[in-house]
Amino acid sequence: MFKIRAITNLLLVAAVIFMSYYSSIVGINGETQASVSNGLSTDFTPAPYAFSIWGLIFVMLVVIAIKDIRLAFADSTDGEESFNCWLTVALVFTIAWTIVWSYLLIGWSLLVMAAIFVSLALAILRDKPRPVSANMTLALYFGWISVALVANESAWLVHLGWVADNGQGWLSDPSFSVMQSALSLVLFALVLSFKSIRKGLEPAVFVYPLVGVWAYIAIMVKNGAGNPNLLVYVSAFFALILLVVTGYFGTKWNANYSAKSKD
């Protein structure tokens, strides 16, 4: 059974990568991910280079999927599995999100994005031990989905016509994006407030807020040219907060690792 699960997960990872790059380069429904995003963009949307983090997430997913394949076909059954059913579910929802986003079903895409977020949270909460590489992958994946969830919510409000630069929406940039930036920080803080989440990601818990730093820097880069607006300074401040949090958890992990290495 483990062999079937391992092969299935590897195929799902390949499908996620294929769908992501196909929808970005060729497009689905006559739209690429970028073209949809550009039509629903706000000041909170990070600079395009920020989305390259998906490449790192994909590499890590391939690594842990191959590890599970090797473990499944090894003579010894001793070892730690990287995938569980909830991570598999998150991959399925990621494929579904690519499709509904491309078909401009923005409300549905927000629901699917929330499902990815919940699935990854449940994957992290699993009690069984995992390899460090698996926890790093989960921290990266969960961190970026935390940013993407807020960005998807922003896109949905733009799609509804609630946000517009011409003053016809209920909200306008950059004030709206400052609120979204604050909401993103609250989400990161809320996730890290759960001891079970921190324990589930150890020793890679510091990677999770580091993804937030990456996103805020990309927001600053996008909005910093010319005459910077308030969002640039707010994002810089929030990035600094998350960087301090990253340093705290990173130092704590290093201290624990050093202590164990002396035993």
Side-chain angles (χ1 to χ4, degrees), residues 72-93:
F73 287 88
D75 294 332
S76 174
T77 57
D78 295 333
E80 300 173 343
E81 295 180 35
S82 299
F83 279 79
N84 60 20
C85 64
W86 287 112
L87 181 52
T88 302
V89 169
L91 292 176
V92 174
F93 277 129

Side-chain angles (χ1 to χ4, degrees), residues 37-167:
S37 181
N38 291 337
L40 302 170
S41 180
T42 66
D43 287 349
F44 178 76
T45 307
Y49 78 84
F51 297 92
S52 63
I53 195 173
W54 275 115
L56 180 57
I57 294 171
F58 291 154
V59 168
M60 294 300 295
L61 283 170
V62 170
V63 167
I64 64 174
I66 291 176
K67 279 189 174 183
D68 273 9
I69 288 285
R70 293 179 62 184
L71 180 62
F73 287 88
D75 294 332
S76 174
T77 57
D78 295 333
E80 300 173 343
E81 295 180 35
S82 299
F83 279 79
N84 60 20
C85 64
W86 287 112
L87 181 52
T88 302
V89 169
L91 292 176
V92 174
F93 277 129
T94 301
I95 295 172
W97 181 89
T98 303
I99 296 172
V100 295
W101 179 260
S102 298
Y103 278 90
L104 303 177
L105 301 172
I106 310 304
W108 283 105
S109 74
L110 179 58
L111 290 176
V112 175
M113 185 66 73
I116 300 172
F117 180 87
V118 172
S119 300
L120 288 173
L122 292 173
I124 291 167
L125 292 174
R126 186 184 68 167
D127 292 332
K128 291 179 66 177
R130 284 183 295 263
V132 175
S133 57
N135 280 353
M136 290 187 68
T137 305
L138 282 170
L140 276 169
Y141 201 170
F142 194 46
W144 188 246
I145 292 301
S146 297
V147 175
L149 181 61
V150 178
N152 205 149
E153 177 256 340
S154 299
W156 179 57
L157 293 179
V158 173
H159 182 68
L160 292 177
W162 290 14
V163 182
D165 290 328
N166 56 14

